[in-house]
Amino acid sequence: MKLLLDTHVFIWWDSDPAKLSKKALALCGDSANTLLLSVASAWEMQIKMQLGKMKLDFPLPDIINDQRRENGLQIIPVALEHVLALPRIRGRGTGGARKTEASVADWRREIPEESTWCPPKELFKTYHVS
């Protein structure tokens, strides 16, 4: 299964796995699954750190590179098409969440396999594009 990690899920998976549900922890820890992170999430984390609203234990590039090396994390780029897909996405959200939803929507058109988005509050809810 391909799991697109929400920003908080990514941070918790790396730094505080006890905050994840048992199901999320099992899925993230299953090497048969592919962990994905949108550039929008990295962007969100970097902005929050620069504004002093978030503090990580290690530099963000180190965390991402460690996750890529240790857990096969893949990065999904953000493209103009992701931004332009926002009006077609059902569901609510603003800022980083909407950018991530748009990335998922565009990514799903390019990769035919089913994917699952892992936000912290509505874990494993799938967002559909009309």
Side-chain angles (χ1 to χ4, degrees):
M1 181 185 313
K2 293 182 180 180
L3 304 172
L4 179 61
L5 305 180
D6 173 86
T7 304
H8 288 91
V9 172
F10 174 74
I11 292 168
W12 296 336
W13 167 242
D14 180 76
S15 304
D16 196 0
K19 288 188 176 181
L20 295 174
S21 69
K22 289 180 184 179
K23 181 177 181 179
L25 189 58
L27 287 170
C28 288
D30 184 345
S31 62
N33 293 330
T34 302
L35 303 180
L36 306 165
L37 183 71
S38 172
V39 168
S41 290
W43 190 351
E44 177 185 5
M45 288 183 278
Q46 186 63 45
I47 289 170
K48 286 184 178 185
M49 286 186 306
Q50 286 178 228
L51 294 173
K53 294 183 176 187
M54 180 191 317
K55 186 173 191 255
L56 298 173
D57 294 334
F58 299 98
L60 183 58
D62 293 350
I63 293 171
I64 291 172
N65 288 331
D66 287 349
Q67 285 296 325
R68 290 173 100 172
R69 186 178 56 255
E70 294 171 15
N71 295 306
L73 178 74
Q74 296 179 17
I75 305 299
I76 297 175
V78 175
L80 177 61
E81 291 77 20
H82 302 152
V83 175
L84 299 178
L86 287 173
R88 298 192 310 269
I89 296 171
R90 292 183 224 143
R92 298 182 186 181
T94 59
R98 294 286 287 175
K99 289 179 208 154
T100 301
E101 291 171 28
S103 298
V104 173
D106 193 62
W107 175 69
R108 282 204 182 117
R109 283 192 296 278
E110 295 173 16
I111 301 175
E113 296 138 295
E114 181 64 24
S115 60
T116 303
W117 179 31
C118 300
K121 292 183 182 173
E122 300 175 43
L123 208 56
F124 313 120
K125 180 176 179 182
T126 301
Y127 281 76
H128 299 280
V129 177
S130 53

